[in-house]
Amino acid sequence: MQSTRRITDRPLFWYLASVLAVLVHAGARIVQEPRYFFWDDTQLGAFGQWYALGSRILDGSVTILSPGAWQGGNYLAEGQWGIWNPVVWLIALGTHAGLGATVFATAVKIVFLVLLCTGAYLLARSYGATPWWAAIAGFVASTSGQTMFMDAPSWVTGLQNLALFSLAWWALKRHVDDGRSPIPFFLFTYVLVTFGYVFGVIELAFLLLAWLVLALTRRQRPQALRVLVLGAYTALLAAFVFLPGLLTAPVTIRKTSSLTNDLYLGVDLGDLATSAIPTALSSVRGYWGDFPYTPIQYTSWLLPLLVLFPLVAWRRSLRSLAMPLIMLGLSLAIVLGPSVIGPLRYPVRMLPYAVLPFAVILAVMASRHLPERVSRPRVIAAVVLTALSGWFAWAEHPQSWSGIAIAVVLQAVAIVVAFLPLKALERWQRSAKVVAAFLLCASLVVLAPQIQRHPGPPLGNFNVPSSVADMKAVAEPMDHGIMLVGDGNWLRVHPEAYDEALLANLWYLTGKDASSVYTVLLFESLSSPLCIEIRGWTCTTALEPLFEEDPVSIADDMALNTVVVLKSPGFEDEPDVPAGWSVQSREYTWLLTRDEPMDRAGGIARTSPGVEASVVSRDDLGVTVHVDQVGDEGGQIVFSRLAWPGYTTTGARLGEPERGFLLTLDVGASDEGHDIRVEFRPPGWTLELGSAITAGVIALGWTVWFALGIRRRREKEPVAS
């Protein structure tokens, strides 16, 4: 008995119990749907992106620009490639280990769920929670609806941000309040920011600002100074990572500065009222239409337990829990705010950042006030709140009454067994460890109906192959310069067609230049005439403008050698192609190939009449040309490159982009016989590089200064005789 008590007194036991619960929960999802963590954007975006970065690392040729990927090839502006992130490098290299796409992506997601659990556990402990209640916080933080139905299956950078944010918050507190080393904060924040996903960085900015204001109002000057230093480091890192995207936005579809509420992926008060029920269906409008038929808004079934704590307990805890309460309020304000704030969209993405502080608050309050004998009226109030949340859920979706009823009954029974004063349960209700262990196990039971009724995420499963070798083989008969035409959603219904075509970033697995990759930064003047979607496919009208000669075709200007046309609705008949192209009919696609392949994109596409030029050298970041001949009136050299902001030239000047998107060089008679270099650096590169260097200096300088300060204080301490 004593041995058992010693084990359950150890924080490691409860941390491992929390991790085990997370693994059981994730495992149950996988049993229901083996591809649960390899879904939608992970299939079409993240995995191919990781593989491409891994290939570049292995080749020793990591680049920030790829001309042949066209609008998807501006990797720093794109942001989420994680070019500067060592964790992403490890993931990228791991894709080459031969595990298969589904297995590898699943392993990555589970690792980050465990990291999220770890961060929430440590954060709760740092605010004073006992190990057993901190274990509850770790599990709660990893099971919110947005996390489990959107971020973990599909939007992996959202999951990565949340996990690192929880660790950065913990590291911030241990440095600012406890005077511990700042190194963990610098490391976790660097990884968080360089993931390139802005939402976690916004939350970190709110956290730092709130902490600074709180320290100043409390006249805590040392703490305020520490926050200022850490905030400056974070701001400089953010400038380094996000400025390229902001300065590139004017030529993309992200140039909007509107402030509006189109209700798209936005949460309202009605959704929050149902958020304690795991099986409640939300009214969040999104890709699926008006209703996702999944509980995206779910926070935690333990939400009603907040009424168990008397008002005096809340008053006593306001000061120590001020920061979690502030972050809860700020996060909810964003969640309930406008759905479009300039380039920022989808406020539901911020919901997990409200669940995290809630989990901490619950764990700390329970550690201080439970299992003190809870009054019967408070337990009844918690049950009533659960039932009321269930009623709101039923009112939203009456047809889902059975799932809601099951959830409400399970939750009510668990609350009654854990807290209602009953003589038969009095003995074990006195033990906080027993109650916490019961609630941790009950959480898995309560979530079981959700897992059974919602086996998959609401986003699209594109049924892509898991075999990297099979996907590589698709492009074997193709030359560099590939474009997919047709609606990629057709492949969801006909996955057997993946033997002949790929989607989005899966083209990166082939090692061939492909324009049809995933990008959130569609170059507007290119995407508009070809009606290109962010995942690379097109509408049925794309072929005509692609091959229209004016004076040459867009296909020529883009150095396309292969056009894969899906035999989807609108492409039942063999496409007409211009001279110099051939058409091959395959089972699921039309394969259009150039008879005499062009060089890869990035060089000279064409010159204006009277101008002759040749390529001296070229690489991903630029090209050097020799101007052989120029007429008296001058002319232009047009490159098969997008005119991204950031290109500069020596010896000539850049002209207005041809077609609105092709990099163009104006040359005059004086340029004849000279070499001219056109080179790309991200817009604002000097400022961005300076920001990164300054951030590094701050991190190093502050770490040394802090360590010397600790050393000086220790030397002043009297030596015990």
Side-chain angles (χ1 to χ4, degrees):
M1 189 69 172
Q2 289 181 350
S3 175
T4 303
R5 287 178 179 173
R6 281 197 298 269
I7 292 173
T8 57
D9 284 341
R10 296 175 182 173
L12 180 60
F13 171 84
W14 292 99
Y15 166 67
L16 292 177
S18 186
V19 170
L20 179 61
V22 170
L23 294 176
V24 170
H25 180 228
R29 300 277 182 190
I30 296 169
V31 169
Q32 281 289 94
E33 171 49 70
R35 286 193 157 208
Y36 191 88
F37 295 106
F38 182 56
W39 209 266
D40 189 54
D41 275 9
T42 298
Q43 294 177 349
L44 301 188
F47 187 81
Q49 179 176 300
W50 294 336
Y51 193 89
L53 183 58
S55 297
R56 286 164 169 75
I57 293 172
L58 291 172
D59 291 341
S61 59
V62 177
T63 181
I64 59 176
L65 189 74
S66 176
W70 288 92
Q71 53 197 354
N74 194 339
Y75 300 133
L76 290 190
E78 196 79 25
Q80 296 179 51
W81 270 69
I83 295 290
W84 312 120
N85 190 304
V87 174
V88 176
W89 300 342
L90 291 174
I91 295 171
L93 291 171
T95 59
H96 292 258
L99 294 178
T102 302
V103 172
F104 182 79
T106 299
V108 169
K109 305 294 186 64
I110 290 176
V111 166
F112 278 98
L113 284 172
V114 170
L115 282 176
L116 172 56
C117 172
T118 302
Y121 174 89
L122 291 173
L123 188 59
R125 292 281 287 143
S126 71
Y127 278 97
T130 58
W132 35 97
W133 290 112
I136 297 288
F139 183 76
V140 167
S142 70
T143 56
S144 73
Q146 171 66 20
T147 296
M148 286 312 302
F149 287 102
M150 302 286 276
D151 291 342
S154 177
W155 298 345
V156 62
T157 42
L159 174 61
Q160 291 169 332
N161 257 214
L162 182 62
L164 268 296
F165 174 78
S166 67
L167 291 167
W169 186 350
W170 166 74
L172 176 64
K173 187 180 188 307
R174 85 192 280 274
H175 175 62
V176 174
D177 286 352
D178 304 334
R180 305 289 293 277
S181 171
I183 293 177
F185 177 84
F186 290 138
L187 293 178
F188 291 140
T189 298
Y190 179 84
V191 175
L192 167 61
V193 175
T194 55
F195 277 132
Y197 191 74
V198 73
F199 295 95
V201 181
I202 291 173
E203 284 284 344
L204 184 58
F206 285 153
L207 179 66
L208 287 161
L209 182 60
W211 216 305
L212 178 62
V213 171
L214 205 60
L216 290 174
T217 56
R218 292 175 176 177
R219 298 185 179 180
Q220 298 171 329
R221 292 183 180 178
Q223 286 89 335
L225 176 61
R226 292 170 188 171
V227 175
L228 276 173
V229 172
L230 302 190
Y233 167 81
T234 304
L236 289 165
L237 269 185
F240 172 56
V241 173
F242 294 105
L243 262 182
L246 288 174
L247 297 177
T248 301
V251 299
T252 74
I253 61 171
R254 292 300 181 97
K255 62 185 177 182
T256 177
S257 59
S258 61
L259 175 64
T260 186
N261 190 355
D262 58 9
L263 305 179
Y264 204 82
L265 287 174
V267 177
D268 58 27
L269 288 172
D271 292 315
L272 292 184
T274 69
S275 65
I277 308 300
T279 54
L281 303 182
S282 75
S283 61
V284 177
R285 181 184 176 194
Y287 303 98
W288 42 78
D290 290 336
F291 300 104
Y293 298 102
T294 46
I296 293 173
Q297 84 293 356
Y298 172 68
T299 55
S300 173
W301 73 278
L302 299 172
L303 191 61
L305 297 191
L306 294 180
V307 301
L308 298 183
F309 311 116
L311 187 59
V312 65
W314 285 105
R315 287 174 178 168
R316 291 173 183 170
S317 300
L318 278 179
R319 183 177 180 85
S320 60
L321 286 176
M323 193 53 59
L325 287 167
I326 290 171
M327 290 307 296
L328 175 62
L330 287 173
S331 299
L332 287 177
I334 300 173
V335 167
L336 296 171
S339 60
V340 178
I341 305 176
L344 301 178
R345 305 171 298 159
Y346 310 164
V348 71
R349 291 194 264 205
M350 306 300 273
L351 190 55
Y353 295 94
V355 176
L356 177 62
F358 159 74
V360 172
I361 293 166
L362 176 65
V364 173
M365 292 296 290
S367 298
R368 294 174 180 173
H369 305 290
L370 294 178
E372 291 179 4
R373 188 174 179 84
V374 181
S375 68
R376 191 180 298 269
R378 291 189 180 278
V379 178
I380 293 173
V383 173
V384 169
L385 277 178
T386 300
L388 189 60
S389 187
W391 186 87
F392 282 123
W394 171 81
E396 286 249 356
H397 293 272
Q399 65 273 26
S400 60
W401 67 268
S402 59
I404 295 169
I406 291 170
V408 169
V409 169
L410 287 175
Q411 293 170 234
V413 169
I415 293 171
V416 167
V417 171
F419 300 109
L420 188 66
L422 296 172
K423 217 165 194 182
L425 302 174
E426 184 178 4
R427 183 175 179 181
W428 74 270
Q429 282 179 342
R430 292 177 182 174
S431 170
K433 297 175 190 175
V434 172
V435 173
F438 170 77
L439 291 178
L440 189 59
C441 295
S443 295
L444 292 170
V445 176
V446 167
L447 285 169
Q450 183 191 83
I451 297 170
Q452 190 274 327
R453 287 174 173 267
H454 308 287
L459 298 168
N461 174 19
F462 284 85
N463 295 305
V464 306
S466 289
S467 170
V468 172
D470 288 348
M471 288 187 276
K472 277 185 175 182
V474 171
E476 286 181 0
M478 305 176 189
D479 289 306
H480 285 284
I482 303 167
M483 183 174 182
L484 179 75
V485 172
D487 186 353
N489 285 294
W490 183 75
L491 282 169
R492 296 168 60 179
V493 184
H494 302 279
E496 58 274 13
Y498 282 111
D499 288 341
E500 300 177 7
L502 296 174
L503 291 178
N505 284 349
L506 296 175
W507 286 110
Y508 281 118
L509 275 64
T510 68
K512 303 285 181 71
D513 286 349
S515 66
S516 300
V517 292
Y518 199 130
T519 177
V520 296
L521 291 176
L522 287 170
F523 202 109
E524 191 171 34
S525 56
L526 170 60
S527 63
S528 180
L530 299 178
C531 56
I532 299 174
E533 200 255 13
I534 63 170
R535 286 170 287 193
W537 58 73
T538 73
C539 62
T540 56
T541 60
L543 278 181
E544 183 176 347
L546 183 65
F547 287 120
E548 183 180 358
E549 297 188 0
D550 182 30
V552 299
S553 69
I554 294 178
D556 291 340
D557 279 338
M558 293 178 66
L560 297 180
N561 290 311
T562 304
V563 177
V564 182
V565 181
L566 299 175
K567 290 184 176 179
S568 53
F571 290 112
E572 294 85 357
D573 300 325
E574 181 176 307
D576 293 326
V577 295
W581 286 79
S582 300
V583 180
Q584 177 186 350
S585 176
R586 301 190 292 180
E587 186 173 0
Y588 302 103
T589 61
W590 303 98
L591 186 64
L592 282 54
T593 56
R594 194 184 290 272
D595 297 336
E596 295 184 10
M598 299 178 67
D599 289 338
R600 297 174 67 175
I604 296 175
R606 53 187 162 96
T607 59
S608 61
V611 176
E612 294 182 8
S614 55
V615 174
V616 176
S617 65
R618 51 167 286 182
D619 53 43
D620 285 341
L621 295 180
V623 55
T624 301
V625 298
H626 183 77
V627 182
D628 301 305
Q629 180 180 319
V630 182
D632 293 337
E633 296 182 0
Q636 293 82 37
I637 301 173
V638 180
F639 298 95
S640 53
R641 291 172 176 262
L642 277 179
W644 291 114
Y647 272 106
T648 58
T649 182
T650 55
R653 69 182 183 86
L654 296 177
E656 286 297 315
E658 183 73 8
R659 296 188 187 273
F661 62 83
L662 289 170
L663 183 66
T664 302
L665 185 68
D666 286 341
V667 291
S670 61
D671 296 314
E672 189 172 306
H674 291 87
D675 289 349
I676 299 175
R677 175 71 178 173
V678 177
E679 192 159 19
F680 175 81
R681 289 291 182 269
W685 181 238
T686 302
L687 175 61
E688 292 150 14
L689 199 58
S691 297
I693 293 171
T694 307
V697 170
I698 288 175
L700 181 61
W702 184 250
T703 299
V704 172
W705 177 263
F706 189 78
L708 291 175
I710 292 176
R711 183 177 178 180
R712 287 193 296 267
R713 286 192 295 271
R714 286 177 178 173
E715 289 174 350
K716 291 180 181 179
E717 292 177 357
V719 179
S721 57

